[in-house]
Amino acid sequence: MDSIIRQLKKSDHILIATHTHPDGDAIGSLIALGLSLKALNKNITLYNESPIPAVYRFLPEVHLVVNKIGKTNYDTAVILDCGDLNRIGEAVSIVSRIPVIVNIDHHVTNTHFGHFQLIDTSACATSEIVYRLIKQMAVPLNKAIATAIYTGVLADTGSFRFSNTNRAAFAICQEMVELGVHPHDISQHVYGTYSLGRIKLLNRALDSIEISANGKLSIMILTKDMFVETHTQPEDVDGLINYAKRIEDVRVAALIQEHYNGTEQPRNSNKFHVSLRSDGSVDVAAIASLFGGGGHSSAAGFNIESTLSDIKIKIFSLADKI
Ligand code: 5GP
Ligand code: MN
């Protein structure tokens, strides 16, 4: 950590980036570190390729996050919450030319890319690691930074329910509450406000669920047509897979989601994202790695180009081994 702090302190312009289709941890850690480096008088650019999901637009200074970057003279890039560098999306070609890349993450499948790594797979969220980094840099925490960190921990632990929930999750969140964060306000933003379209999408998603013959694996499907018909975006998918995971006896839930960039496209692109969740008895990061993806042992994912029916067959064939 000390060598990373030295690198950050001697940098003038720092790019901070997180993964496409960001979750609360990706955006929370991005804003928390961005505001902290700004407090140290650094020039910062916060980057995420995808739109900020509506539920996270309440975060302080969220307008600082840009979705395009040029070939500016950055000294250092900090990549947060990405198991591999490609997770940041198109900007990988620009970022890989930045002289120093710092990789801060908590995924077990992290490829150790970059010149410096701060990887802790026992951390509940990248926001936990960023919290420690901010403390070590002696940046005073304020309510804005605290809100971002709290949101990151809350989102990645599924409100302190998932298996990554650790002692630090509670200790950090307690400290953030002491700094003025209101848990109810944040959960209202993150969980309390569903658009009507999202409820309709949930209906479609629930209706699509199928179970393997042995009952141990469930599949949920979301197609481009469903997004178009319910006027929803990929960000509205967040959390839906948990319904498929909750089903009695199910060990692994898979959500097969057709790629959709928010505008109607020609049909049959054959590009899908598969999200995997397990009840803790199956290592889904290992399964995702087989398909070129990654993640955590109980939450992982991968991209695949194939037909929906082929993907379903491939996933159902996993059921006998779990
Ligand atoms: P989800 O599938 O719900 O988007 O993501 C679940 C977890 O797996 C997240 O921690 C996410 O970062 C990781 N993940 C999802 N897709 C990929 C992928 O294609 N590659 C890697 N390395 N990790 C992924
Ligand atoms: Mn995370």
Side-chain angles (χ1 to χ4, degrees), residues 14 34 48 56 74 108-109 119 134 169 223 254-255 279 289 307 317:
I14 301 165
N48 195 288
Y56 298 120
Y74 303 104
V108 282
T109 52
I119 297 159
I134 295 170
T223 63
L255 166 65
D279 65 353
S289 296
T307 61
S317 74

Side-chain angles (χ1 to χ4, degrees), residues 96-302:
S96 43
R97 278 185 237 126
I98 296 174
V100 176
I101 294 178
V102 179
N103 167 358
I104 301 180
D105 186 36
H106 69 134
H107 291 97
V108 282
T109 52
N110 191 288
T111 58
H112 290 81
F113 65 86
H115 305 88
F116 294 97
Q117 295 85 17
L118 187 53
I119 297 159
D120 180 355
T121 57
S122 71
C124 63
T126 298
S127 297
E128 176 187 335
I129 309 175
V130 164
Y131 162 86
R132 286 191 235 133
L133 181 65
I134 295 170
K135 284 266 160 169
Q136 191 72 25
M137 291 193 297
V139 173
L141 289 168
N142 56 30
K143 188 176 170 189
I145 298 174
T147 301
I149 292 173
Y150 183 99
T151 303
V153 171
L154 183 79
D156 247 27
T157 59
S159 307
F160 313 104
R161 289 177 301 130
F162 298 158
S163 56
N164 56 335
T165 308
N166 56 9
R167 193 181 159 279
F170 292 100
I172 292 170
C173 286
Q174 180 185 359
E175 188 180 337
M176 301 305 110
V177 170
E178 281 160 8
L179 285 161
V181 170
H182 295 292
H184 178 250
D185 284 356
I186 300 202
S187 37
Q188 277 302 102
H189 283 293
V190 177
Y191 304 110
T193 44
Y194 268 43
S195 65
L196 178 61
R198 197 168 175 193
I199 299 286
K200 303 257 183 210
L201 188 71
L202 168 64
N203 189 35
R204 297 294 195 87
L206 295 177
D207 214 27
S208 75
I209 294 176
E210 290 179 55
I211 305 282
S212 63
N214 65 7
K216 293 180 187 172
L217 186 142
S218 61
I219 291 186
M220 179 185 260
I221 291 167
L222 285 172
T223 63
K224 218 149 48 183
D225 286 349
M226 295 182 192
F227 290 117
V228 173
E229 284 158 21
T230 58
H231 307 287
T232 50
Q233 306 289 328
E235 67 181 63
D236 294 304
V237 174
D238 200 22
L240 298 190
I241 190 175
N242 293 316
Y243 288 96
K245 193 186 81 169
R246 276 196 195 116
I247 300 166
E248 213 176 1
D249 300 329
V250 163
R251 294 186 175 185
V252 173
L255 166 65
I256 308 173
Q257 181 184 338
E258 192 173 4
H259 275 221
Y260 175 58
N261 68 5
T263 53
E264 213 163 347
Q265 298 167 322
R267 282 163 188 266
N268 301 329
S269 67
N270 279 355
K271 287 188 178 163
F272 293 85
H273 178 79
V274 179
S275 294
L276 299 171
R277 298 290 183 271
S278 91
D279 65 353
S281 65
V282 179
D283 179 1
V284 287
I287 298 176
S289 296
L290 295 175
F291 292 93
H296 308 285
S297 63
S298 51
F302 61 90

